[in-house]
Amino acid sequence: MSIGSMNPVEWDEFYRMAKDRGVTLPLEQTIAWDAFDEAVPGRSPWGRVVYRGADGEPRALLALTRMEVRGFPYLWAKHGPVWLGDDPSAEEEADLRELLIQGVRHRDRSVVFIRLHALHQAPDCRELLQTKTYDRTIILNLDRDDDEAVLASFKSRGRRDVRKALRNESLTFADETARAEEVFDELYAILTETGERDGFRAAPKETYLTMLRALGPDHARLYVARENGGEALAWGLPVLWEDLATYYYAASSHQARRMLAADALLYKEACWLRALGVRTFDLMGIDSERAPELAGVRMFKSKFTQDEPVEVAGAWDVPVRPQVYAALVRALGAKHALSALPAKIRGAAGKIPEGIRALVSKARAEEDAVPEELADDAAGSSTTAGDNAR
């Protein structure tokens, strides 16, 4: 039996509930992010809900985006739910998920799973398909008197590296948000180099430009370090909402690392964002037991604060249609295994993914065969409407 309740809510009420409780929403949970979702093919805002506790008071807010993986739809509540007040208990998180699943099944039975964040791991929370998450981050407090106070808040090695870079008169730093279309080919080449060095694959160039266009300069900035005002060495793309900024994307060349250009640029970004009213700057993820591959970025990011890393809720996949989700897991596992084979063997085994896809389709058909009245009964208790690198 549910301990709380859930119902749909429009943006104005969603925002008011957060403001009344002194909570700054992550950008991905705001109406500004809706514009980005609407601009990306295959994505669209799906709806917002409020989860209320046993006393009927708002306890959590959640905005969802409809997306697809391999042609199968899912919902992504990036950096959501946003809990109002104290951290949730495992029971509250489980109750929210159950009510949400019931509501999604009632409104859109094609949805295979929901991706959202949770502090407490549970049997219904699965590791993510085809992407990574983090559950520990570095957060900079920019509520300082001036830029020197921002620098003074860094660890000694952070201050040393920034000061060394700033003494290099060949380095220049600028806000190039207004020039994004003009300069991004050069910046994307640096991102590709960074990905090859750090083991990730960059999204298509248009993804970053679409983000800048859709969010606009009020919510996304492009900062660049150059040598003598010419060749780009490093860049950062933070996003912001009110007094919260997130270090969304960043890249640096080998030359930038040698010159410590990325270090000085991050300091400049912190100062520029502070001037825009930002007081909290989330550097967005370091390593943990769940994300050991982020150890390299920890060495860089941890220089910029004397505070301890902050534990945050990681993302999980929560199946809405368990049979279809399980078939998807098998399909992607077969694909990854096939990719690891030598090319000659891979060609001979090329029919494997098609066979697995048929299995996914079969699982979908079997779940679609559930009598409609049973599906309605299952949903009846719910009133729901519905990657950076150095």
Side-chain angles (χ1 to χ4, degrees):
M1 181 177 178
S2 293
I3 59 175
S5 62
M6 182 175 286
N7 60 276
V9 63
E10 296 299 321
W11 162 248
D12 288 347
E13 183 69 3
F14 189 93
Y15 178 63
R16 185 192 63 76
M17 289 178 186
K19 290 295 286 185
D20 285 351
R21 288 155 183 82
V23 173
T24 299
L25 294 167
L27 181 70
E28 299 93 334
Q29 292 287 300
T30 73
I31 196 170
W33 194 260
D34 290 356
F36 178 46
D37 283 337
E38 289 166 347
V40 177
R43 290 170 54 164
S44 59
W46 191 83
R48 289 183 165 83
V49 298
V50 54
Y51 171 74
R52 299 179 184 275
D55 60 1
E57 290 298 310
R59 185 71 181 94
L61 301 169
L62 189 71
L64 298 124
T65 298
R66 194 178 197 274
M67 306 177 72
E68 289 192 358
V69 57
R70 301 288 168 181
F72 297 93
Y74 69 100
L75 301 180
W76 194 178
K78 199 161 191 180
H79 289 164
V82 178
W83 291 90
L84 308 175
D86 295 337
D87 287 342
S89 65
E91 184 183 24
E92 285 180 305
E93 287 189 326
D95 191 51
L96 180 149
R97 290 193 300 271
E98 182 57 33
L99 289 171
L100 187 60
I101 288 170
Q102 291 172 6
V104 170
R105 284 174 177 163
H106 187 66
R107 171 175 160 177
D108 186 352
R109 292 187 61 204
S110 69
V111 171
V112 176
F113 64 94
I114 303 165
R115 180 168 293 163
L116 46 65
H117 293 256
L119 284 171
H120 307 278
Q121 187 175 6
D124 62 325
C125 293
R126 315 292 174 80
E127 289 293 345
L128 307 188
L129 291 171
Q130 290 190 300
T131 191
K132 300 291 185 181
T133 186
Y134 63 86
D135 53 11
R136 183 178 295 157
T137 190
I138 297 289
I139 294 179
L140 309 189
N141 176 9
L142 303 187
D143 192 11
R144 312 286 179 182
D145 291 338
D146 52 31
D147 293 352
E148 278 300 315
V150 172
L151 184 59
S153 71
F154 295 175
K155 286 180 179 170
S156 59
R157 62 191 177 95
R159 297 194 299 271
R160 178 201 64 205
D161 291 347
V162 168
R163 286 178 175 137
K164 182 177 179 180
L166 292 178
R167 286 195 297 269
N168 186 340
E169 295 182 358
S170 71
L171 289 177
T172 60
F173 308 92
D175 181 340
E176 300 193 12
T177 308
R179 309 177 57 212
E181 303 281 348
E182 173 190 345
V183 303
F184 209 80
D185 280 346
E186 181 184 16
L187 304 186
Y188 189 73
I190 297 174
L191 181 63
T192 301
E193 176 188 334
T194 303
E196 291 171 352
R197 182 181 68 230
D198 292 349
F200 70 88
R201 185 173 63 183
K205 180 181 70 174
E206 191 62 23
T207 300
Y208 308 96
L209 288 172
T210 299
M211 172 178 278
L212 286 161
R213 293 183 201 120
L215 296 179
D218 288 343
H219 302 297
R221 312 296 294 190
L222 181 64
Y223 299 125
V224 184
R226 297 181 179 273
E227 187 170 15
N228 295 314
E231 179 187 0
L233 299 172
W235 59 272
L237 196 171
V239 301
L240 52 154
W241 176 265
E242 297 182 336
D243 63 354
L244 172 65
T246 306
Y247 191 51
Y248 230 81
Y249 297 115
S252 61
S253 66
H254 177 75
Q255 176 78 341
R257 290 158 66 90
R258 185 182 66 79
M259 300 173 72
L260 299 173
D263 301 68
L265 179 61
L266 184 52
Y267 165 63
K268 289 286 189 177
E269 290 184 53
C271 295
W272 290 327
L273 290 168
R274 176 185 163 277
L276 293 174
V278 171
R279 294 297 175 262
T280 303
F281 190 14
D282 186 346
L283 298 191
M284 204 173 173
I286 60 169
D287 62 308
S288 65
E289 183 177 345
R290 194 174 174 209
E293 65 277 5
L294 295 178
V297 297
R298 171 176 50 83
M299 298 299 292
F300 175 69
K301 295 177 181 179
S302 63
K303 295 191 294 185
F304 299 97
T305 181
Q306 298 177 47
D307 296 334
E308 292 297 315
V310 178
E311 305 295 325
V312 294
W316 303 91
D317 286 349
V318 180
V320 176
R321 304 185 64 177
Q323 292 182 52
V324 179
Y325 185 83
L328 266 176
V329 171
R330 292 195 295 273
L332 292 171
K335 176 180 179 292
H336 295 154
L338 189 63
S339 298
L341 294 174
K344 185 174 181 179
I345 300 175
R346 190 162 62 243
K351 292 184 179 179
I352 291 177
E354 294 181 10
I356 297 292
R357 186 167 182 82
L359 182 62
V360 175
S361 297
K362 180 175 182 290
R364 171 187 268 176
E366 288 173 352
E367 287 199 343
D368 280 340
V370 174
E372 193 69 35
E373 62 271 17
L374 295 184
D376 287 344
D377 287 346
S381 63
S382 174
T383 52
T384 304
D387 332 336
N388 55 39
R390 179 168 62 91

